[in-house]
Amino acid sequence: MAGSAAAAGQMAAAAAMWEQVKAPVIVPLLRLSVAACLAMSVMLFVEKVYMTVVLVAVKLFARRPDRRYRCDPIVSGAGAVDGDGGSDPELAGDAAFPMVLIQIPMYNEREVYKLSIGAACGLSWPSDRFIVQVLDDSTDPVIKEMVQVECKKWENKGVRIKYAIRDNRVGYKAGALREGMKHGYVRDCDYVAIFDADFQPDPDFLTRTIPFLVHNPDIALVQARWKFVNANECLMTRMQEMSLDYHFKVEQEVGSSTHAFFGFNGTAGVWRISAMNEAGGWKDRTTVEDMDLAVRAGLKGWKFVYLGDLMVKSELPSTFKAFRYQQHRWSCGPANLFRKMLVEIATNKKVTLWKKIYVIYNFFLVRKIIGHIVTFVFYCLVVPATVLIPEVEIPRWGYVYLPSIVTVLNSIGTPRSLHLLIFWVLFENVMSLHRTKATLIGLLETGRVNEWVVTEKLGDALKMKLPGKTFRRPRMRIGDRVNTLELAFSAYLCFCGCYDIAFNKGYYALFLYLQSITFFIIGVGYVGTIVPS
């Protein structure tokens, strides 16, 4: 009895202390957090509406790239087109086609190396007017030998293909691309097309992109859209398709149409080599060397063109581990680049004030930083906390109307997945945990700021490793992978949901339970594709 009384007394004392701290400290801090999250939500909402309006205007007024820029096909025997858009009759036949370098950086790409090499070598372009350069940073000698044999096979078929290796991996992908540009034969090239190891351009890729660069000397980059060959592999790849389709169909389209600026996606694009050199070439100071180069070239006044109807086949990461590493790189890198280039962008004299505002506010602040932070902080921390502290209320427009509209606008990129919106929202909230952590690492430049883990590509490996002629998804074993951070948030959200039902009106309970279940599923590793050993 005495022990029970002592325990009850301790609990009463703790409750009294909580009440003393809650009113003067916790409640004001939570109210401030709610106000900050609502402000960021409004910024994100306005950005989504703005991009939707611009996209609708582009479609209505048919502001396609071929109507805004000259892109006449290059015809053999018609004479080469000079830098001013005129014809030089002295250059006829294949010489009418400019020299193009095709770079394929790869690292231990056992499953997909043949895809990109074969597709690049099969491009419809005069064989003496392009060079395929395979930049192999592989550390596995067996894979190196396989890649070298593949290059030799295409060389025997008459393709000008170069196999290049380094003694180290300094600078990772940026370092490999930079070293590739130092070879003597590159001096004869005017443009460089870049494809990651899992990308498979169609034969007409160069004939559809190079004319924009040849006829418009102020254009530095032509970017194509990604098409995902394994989007239907699992629910996680469907979620990725929704996010990336919005990026390509909306964000890239809007940037190209309004300011002739957007972030280079690192692959499936063609650069004017002189523009790259003027911008300073490849730098490895962040994990987004592609975006770094694009921003520097944009600040030099160069224009970019996005071709939404030109698609290049690629592969989505289908294991959660690979996807998480990729998202860390894609979230940490832009934040770190923003930190490094903010002053340079603000003080630039070669671009207009509106373009500087667009790059700083729209491109970096809202899309690359606020978008990640508000999703996690608001829906995974603040909203559950208001359940525990009912003195703080969130207006309905903040937690119902704005998020609903933003979610619907996000779905316009992938209409076929409209029925998966709820799953997509819950999954994105979980991933916002990792993106927010990576964003803060990039902004503060600490910890894993320059961590580079190559995204694993499976190709047909899974089908080949499974017995039988038909593809069967392997049975998941819960013990294969446990993510403790996700499990901790699952418990927190479940507790808040139970508390909401027990002590409040239960308005948030359904959302909290669904989000808790999603965190739990990912926490026990039941997501994505499991590759059997």
Side-chain angles (χ1 to χ4, degrees):
M1 294 291 293
S4 300
Q10 290 176 353
M11 292 179 62
M17 183 178 298
W18 166 251
E19 290 298 329
Q20 290 179 348
V21 174
K22 184 174 73 171
V25 179
I26 304 299
V27 171
L29 286 177
L30 187 56
R31 283 180 177 150
L32 181 63
S33 299
V34 169
C37 288
L38 290 176
M40 289 190 289
S41 296
V42 170
M43 294 168 67
L44 189 61
F45 169 77
V46 171
E47 176 69 8
K48 298 291 184 181
V49 172
Y50 157 74
M51 288 193 290
T52 303
V53 170
V54 172
L55 184 66
V56 171
V58 168
K59 300 300 182 183
L60 285 177
F61 296 102
R63 282 181 53 82
R64 299 193 307 268
D66 58 342
R67 292 195 174 189
R68 290 183 287 124
Y69 301 101
R70 184 183 170 193
C71 56
D72 301 332
I74 301 173
V75 182
S76 179
V81 180
D82 60 30
D84 298 323
S87 179
D88 186 352
E90 294 184 1
L91 297 176
D94 288 348
F97 293 82
M99 279 292 295
V100 180
L101 175 69
I102 300 172
Q103 290 185 311
I104 308 175
M106 57 178 60
Y107 173 75
N108 293 338
E109 308 286 2
R110 178 191 296 269
E111 309 299 344
V112 296
Y113 71 95
K114 288 185 179 181
L115 300 178
S116 55
I117 294 176
C121 293
L123 290 171
S124 298
W125 202 255
S127 59
D128 62 333
R129 305 304 293 170
F130 76 97
I131 302 172
V132 178
Q133 185 187 65
V134 178
L135 304 168
D136 190 7
D137 269 2
S138 299
T139 54
D140 187 328
V142 175
I143 298 177
K144 271 189 173 182
E145 178 67 21
M146 293 165 63
V147 175
Q148 197 166 7
V149 168
E150 182 70 12
C151 293
K152 190 67 177 178
K153 182 186 79 173
W154 285 101
E155 185 178 21
N156 292 336
K157 292 182 180 181
V159 177
R160 295 182 65 186
I161 185 169
K162 306 291 184 180
Y163 177 75
I165 60 174
R166 300 189 293 163
D167 295 331
N168 55 66
R169 292 189 64 217
V170 173
Y172 302 109
K173 180 180 176 180
L177 293 170
R178 183 173 57 235
E179 288 299 313
M181 298 299 293
K182 294 180 180 179
H183 291 274
Y185 54 81
V186 176
R187 287 194 293 268
D188 299 327
C189 300
D190 304 299
Y191 311 107
V192 54
I194 302 168
F195 300 104
D196 283 349
D198 58 311
F199 278 71
Q200 307 166 57
D202 287 336
D204 65 346
F205 180 86
L206 292 181
T207 59
R208 295 182 61 182
T209 55
I210 295 296
F212 284 94
L213 295 162
V214 169
H215 297 297
N216 305 276
D218 56 344
I219 292 178
L221 166 68
V222 180
Q223 173 73 58
R225 186 177 131 205
W226 298 0
K227 179 182 179 181
F228 312 110
V229 297
N230 65 330
N232 295 322
E233 183 171 327
C234 60
L235 186 59
M236 191 184 78
T237 53
R238 289 291 293 272
M239 303 296 100
Q240 293 178 67
E241 180 191 38
M242 293 176 69
S243 299
L244 288 172
D245 274 355
Y246 182 83
H247 166 71
F248 281 104
K249 294 181 180 181
V250 181
E251 292 179 349
Q252 298 293 73
E253 189 75 65
V254 168
S256 177
S257 302
T258 55
H259 297 279
F261 172 83
F262 50 83
F264 173 44
N265 294 115
T267 178
V270 186
W271 276 93
R272 185 187 301 273
I273 293 179
S274 60
M276 292 177 60
N277 294 335
E278 184 183 347
W282 295 106
K283 294 185 178 181
D284 55 16
R285 55 181 176 174
T286 70
T287 57
V288 284
E289 71 295 323
D290 42 17
M291 186 182 296
D292 189 347
L293 176 60
V295 173
R296 285 184 280 114
L299 294 179
K300 294 290 185 180
W302 289 97
K303 294 181 179 180
F304 306 157
V305 174
Y306 169 70
L307 303 181
D309 60 347
L310 176 59
M311 292 176 281
V312 179
K313 289 180 286 187
S314 63
E315 181 181 324
L316 291 165
S318 55
T319 66
F320 182 67
K321 181 180 179 180
F323 179 59
R324 191 177 61 184
Y325 277 126
Q326 181 198 68
Q327 293 303 298
H328 174 86
R329 192 171 74 244
W330 286 4
S331 301
C332 179
N336 190 230
L337 183 64
F338 180 64
R339 170 193 171 109
K340 294 179 183 295
M341 294 201 67
L342 177 59
V343 174
E344 183 179 347
I345 297 170
T347 57
N348 183 272
K349 303 297 184 182
K350 291 190 175 183
V351 297
T352 65
L353 175 62
W354 290 115
K355 187 168 184 177
K356 288 193 286 187
I357 292 174
Y358 175 81
V359 174
I360 292 174
Y361 178 79
N362 302 80
F363 182 76
F364 273 115
L365 186 61
V366 177
R367 300 180 199 169
K368 311 299 182 186
I369 297 175
I370 286 178
H372 300 323
I373 293 176
V374 71
T375 302
F376 171 67
V377 174
F378 192 34
Y379 301 108
C380 300
L381 290 178
V382 173
V383 169
T386 59
V387 171
L388 304 177
I389 305 176
E391 294 90 339
V392 180
E393 295 184 356
I394 302 175
R396 183 170 297 179
W397 61 264
Y399 73 86
V400 176
Y401 302 142
L402 286 191
S404 299
I405 295 173
V406 168
T407 300
V408 171
L409 293 179
N410 267 304
S411 69
I412 62 178
T414 316
R416 80 182 186 104
S417 298
L418 190 63
H419 62 291
L420 298 175
L421 265 184
I422 300 299
F423 297 100
W424 178 80
V425 169
L426 297 173
F427 180 74
E428 284 293 291
N429 286 347
V430 175
M431 291 310 303
S432 69
L433 162 66
H434 299 284
R435 292 173 183 143
T436 298
K437 184 171 65 173
T439 299
L440 295 177
I441 289 174
L443 286 174
L444 300 176
E445 209 165 44
T446 60
R448 299 159 53 198
V449 66
N450 287 318
E451 180 184 63
W452 182 285
V453 179
V454 175
T455 304
E456 179 186 24
K457 294 103 177 177
L458 298 181
D460 292 328
L462 194 58
K463 298 178 184 178
M464 294 171 63
K465 289 177 181 177
L466 293 175
K469 295 182 180 180
T470 59
F471 170 70
R472 291 184 180 181
R473 192 169 307 286
R475 186 177 297 276
M476 175 74 72
R477 290 179 299 173
I478 292 180
D480 285 346
R481 175 72 182 178
V482 175
N483 302 300
T484 55
L485 198 55
E486 283 85 348
L487 291 177
F489 271 96
S490 174
Y492 167 66
L493 294 170
C494 183
F495 172 78
C496 291
C498 295
Y499 190 95
D500 195 31
I501 291 179
F503 300 103
N504 299 327
K505 296 180 180 180
Y507 291 150
Y508 299 110
L510 179 60
F511 162 72
L512 293 173
Y513 282 140
L514 290 175
Q515 193 63 69
S516 173
I517 292 171
T518 307
F519 267 104
F520 179 79
I521 290 173
I522 295 178
V524 297
Y526 200 82
V527 64
T529 299
I530 298 298
V531 181
S533 58

